[in-house]
């Protein structure tokens, strides 16, 4: 695997006729508009990563037998570029995303990519499309690095060819509710991941397997599901698109990284911010019964979820076995609001960057 060879990136700028009209920054939605350019590179055993280029955003031409279409050998990441003061553009912990992607690659038998060089290419891509980084509050540029298996073959094995690409989308809030509390349905019929499976890898199959539960929850009026463990169906795991936190008395509790949940970068950042502020944090197993008991006895103060797309999303209602509980009178709690504000300020360069989380693009 040619991880050490310098990656040469060719720049093929989009022609004037390929440039798009930019969407209204106040009506971005999530992941529906895409910028003018993308980054693409390819991998095979002989050449390692090669033919890297930044080019106009365009369709791929793939063999219908490409293995990604049949066996789902695919991994991806999600991170954001933020517009800070003086128009600077900042990335938040991008190497953590690339490192997680390389961990996902190992689990899915895919080649790892050279992280520093990919970060360099990502920065060049963002700089080229810098006018797409929204400046208004709550809006950011969402970056989606992705790797797919491209060998045309129907025998089950690791593909011998891959394409890695980065596309970018100016986005607003992930949930229609914005920062308003969302309703979450505790899922008992379906499960997301088992120990030894691919639960901690960021691979499309995890998301494909979740849409049935999501659809059914949405039909009941809920924004997302809360997954329980697959064995005993009692320990809380994560929300469909994010990690979950509970504030019980004065403790901030989140399930541990046991191998079945996604090691969220926002999750890790919230834990670090909490420790910096002297808030008691616990990464421990927590049952759904304990959450409901804490609500009964008045010690459940807040519930919120964390993710790159979701940022900090307060949970206003939880439904489990036909019992619906309303958390903090269905209002964003004190800690949820504080983490939301602190994280956003930090990501926009308005706080001291104590942990060296920010990478400046421009
Ligand atoms: C993210 O938060 O970046 C994700 O990848 C979740 C996805 C469903 C938007």
């Amino acid at each position: 695997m040619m991880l050490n060879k310098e990656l040469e990136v060719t720049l093929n700028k989009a022609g004037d006729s390929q440039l798009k009209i930019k969407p209204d920054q106040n009506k971005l939605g999530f992941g529906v508009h895409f910028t003018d350019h993308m980054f693409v590179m390819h991998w095979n055993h002989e050449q390692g990563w090669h033919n890297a280029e930044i080019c106009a955003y365009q369709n791929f031409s793939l063999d219908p037998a490409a293995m990604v279409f049949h066996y789902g050998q695919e991994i991806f990441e999600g991170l954001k570029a933020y517009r800070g003061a003086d128009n600077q553009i900042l990335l938040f912990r991008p190497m953590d995303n690339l490192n997680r992607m390389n961990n996902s690659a190992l689990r899915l038998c895919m080649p790892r990519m050279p992280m520093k060089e990919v970060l360099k290419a990502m920065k060049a891509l963002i700089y080229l499309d810098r006018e797409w980084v929204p400046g208004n509050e709550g809006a950011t540029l969402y970056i989606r690095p992705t790797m797919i298996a491209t060998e045309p073959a129907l025998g089950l094995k690791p593909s011998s060819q891959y394409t890695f690409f980065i596309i970018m989308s100016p986005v607003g809030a992930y949930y229609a509710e914005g920062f308003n509390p969302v309703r979450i349905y505790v899922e008992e019929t379906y499960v997301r991941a088992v120990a030894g499976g691919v639960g901690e890898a960021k691979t499309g199959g995890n998301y494909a397997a979740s849409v049935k539960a999501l659809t059914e929850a949405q039909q009941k009026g809920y924004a997302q599901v809360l997954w329980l463990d697959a064995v005993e169906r009692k320990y809380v795991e994560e929300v469909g698109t994010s990690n979950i936190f509970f504030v019980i008395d004065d403790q901030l509790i989140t399930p541990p990284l046991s191998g079945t949940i996604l090691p969220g970068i926002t999750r890790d950042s919230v834990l670090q911010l909490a420790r910096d502020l002297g808030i008691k944090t616990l990464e421990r197993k927590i049952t759904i019964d304990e959450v409901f008991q804490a609500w009964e006895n008045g010690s459940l103060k807040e519930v919120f979820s964390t993710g790159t797309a979701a940022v900090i999303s307060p949970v206003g209602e939880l439904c489990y076995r036909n019992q619906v509980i309303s958390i903090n009178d269905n209002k964003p709690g004190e800690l949820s609001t504080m983490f939301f504000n602190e994280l956003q300020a930090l990501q926009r360069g308005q706080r001291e960057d104590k942990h060296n989380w920010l990478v400046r693009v421009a």
Side-chain angles (χ1 to χ4, degrees):
M1 223 180 286
M2 301 173 77
L3 282 179
N4 296 325
K5 197 178 141 225
E6 183 74 19
L7 187 75
E8 268 176 49
V9 182
T10 311
L11 176 61
N12 288 314
K13 278 194 189 179
D16 285 350
S17 63
Q18 291 172 298
L19 299 178
K20 302 169 189 166
I21 296 170
K22 296 192 181 55
D24 179 344
Q25 288 204 5
N26 298 307
K27 294 185 192 143
L28 290 172
F30 187 89
V32 286
H33 306 283
F34 296 94
T35 69
D36 291 323
H37 295 91
M38 63 199 272
F39 170 77
V40 190
M41 64 179 180
H42 304 278
W43 188 93
N44 62 28
H45 287 287
E46 299 72 44
Q47 293 162 284
W49 289 110
H50 63 282
N51 284 7
E53 66 166 337
I54 291 177
C55 56
Y57 187 97
Q58 59 194 271
N59 291 350
F60 287 128
S61 170
L62 285 177
D63 193 302
M67 294 185 77
V68 65
F69 295 141
H70 305 277
Y71 307 124
Q73 217 189 346
E74 186 264 8
I75 53 173
F76 70 97
E77 270 303 320
L79 66 159
K80 284 174 171 172
Y82 305 83
R83 200 172 276 284
D86 305 324
N87 256 345
Q88 59 182 336
I89 298 172
L90 299 161
L91 287 168
F92 185 67
R93 308 186 67 175
M95 288 301 262
D96 291 295
N97 285 93
L98 296 179
N99 189 44
R100 185 172 66 182
M101 190 162 188
N102 272 346
N103 289 339
S104 300
L106 279 179
R107 180 64 183 83
L108 274 286
C109 284
M110 299 169 89
R112 284 169 300 143
M113 24 96 209
M115 300 196 332
K116 280 191 188 146
E117 294 175 38
V118 168
L119 179 62
K120 206 167 139 193
M122 185 189 291
K123 284 162 76 176
L125 175 67
I126 298 165
Y127 188 72
L128 185 61
D129 279 347
R130 60 193 175 280
E131 285 172 20
W132 285 85
V133 183
N136 55 335
E137 217 189 295
T140 51
L141 185 71
Y142 185 77
I143 302 158
R144 174 53 63 88
T146 309
M147 196 194 298
I148 55 172
T150 52
E151 182 189 345
L154 297 185
L156 182 59
K157 58 171 185 122
S159 170
S160 65
Q161 297 163 27
Y162 296 88
T163 295
F164 172 92
F165 57 93
I166 304 175
I167 54 173
M168 307 193 296
S169 168
V171 299
Y174 186 75
Y175 290 116
E177 288 86 344
F179 185 63
N180 292 321
V182 293
R183 305 178 73 213
I184 300 281
Y185 185 80
V186 182
E187 180 55 60
E188 280 201 281
T189 307
Y190 308 108
V191 292
R192 178 182 174 274
V194 287
V198 291
E200 67 182 344
K202 204 159 170 68
T203 178
N206 282 333
Y207 295 78
S210 76
V211 289
K212 179 116 175 91
L214 172 67
T215 313
E216 291 181 13
Q218 284 176 336
Q219 279 160 0
K220 296 185 191 105
Y222 292 88
Q224 266 297 344
V225 296
L226 177 61
W227 296 108
L228 298 180
D229 77 280
V231 179
E232 296 182 66
R233 307 273 175 116
K234 64 180 192 183
Y235 294 103
V236 171
E237 298 245 302
E238 64 179 68
V239 175
T241 55
S242 39
N243 296 114
I244 188 89
F245 282 82
F246 303 93
V247 182
I248 298 183
D249 289 323
D250 61 349
Q251 290 190 331
L252 184 63
I253 303 169
T254 194
L257 299 180
S258 55
T260 54
I261 70 172
L262 194 81
I265 290 155
T266 314
R267 172 191 180 278
D268 186 69
S269 306
V270 163
L271 284 172
Q272 186 60 56
L273 288 178
R275 283 186 218 111
D276 291 350
L277 293 164
I279 297 167
K280 285 182 208 155
T281 61
L282 279 175
E283 292 175 71
R284 71 152 167 90
K285 285 177 147 201
I286 178 164
T287 63
I288 191 66
D289 285 341
E290 182 183 342
V291 173
F292 273 63
Q293 273 155 22
W295 180 83
E296 301 266 349
N297 69 27
S299 59
L300 179 69
K301 307 287 184 229
E302 295 180 45
V303 181
F304 62 90
S305 73
T306 62
T308 301
V311 194
I312 305 284
S313 172
V315 176
E317 264 183 29
L318 274 178
C319 174
Y320 177 53
R321 296 193 173 158
N322 294 326
Q323 188 188 354
V324 179
I325 59 172
S326 170
I327 298 139
N328 196 40
D329 289 332
N330 214 356
K331 293 194 206 82
E334 211 179 299
L335 283 188
S336 320
T337 309
M338 187 273 291
F339 284 127
F340 181 73
N341 291 335
E342 281 306 299
L343 201 58
Q344 293 216 102
L346 186 58
Q347 288 165 335
R348 289 180 191 266
Q350 295 156 0
R351 293 284 184 275
E352 186 197 347
D353 181 20
K354 279 194 226 162
H355 302 287
N356 287 321
W357 282 340
L358 295 177
V359 170
R360 196 172 165 158
V361 174

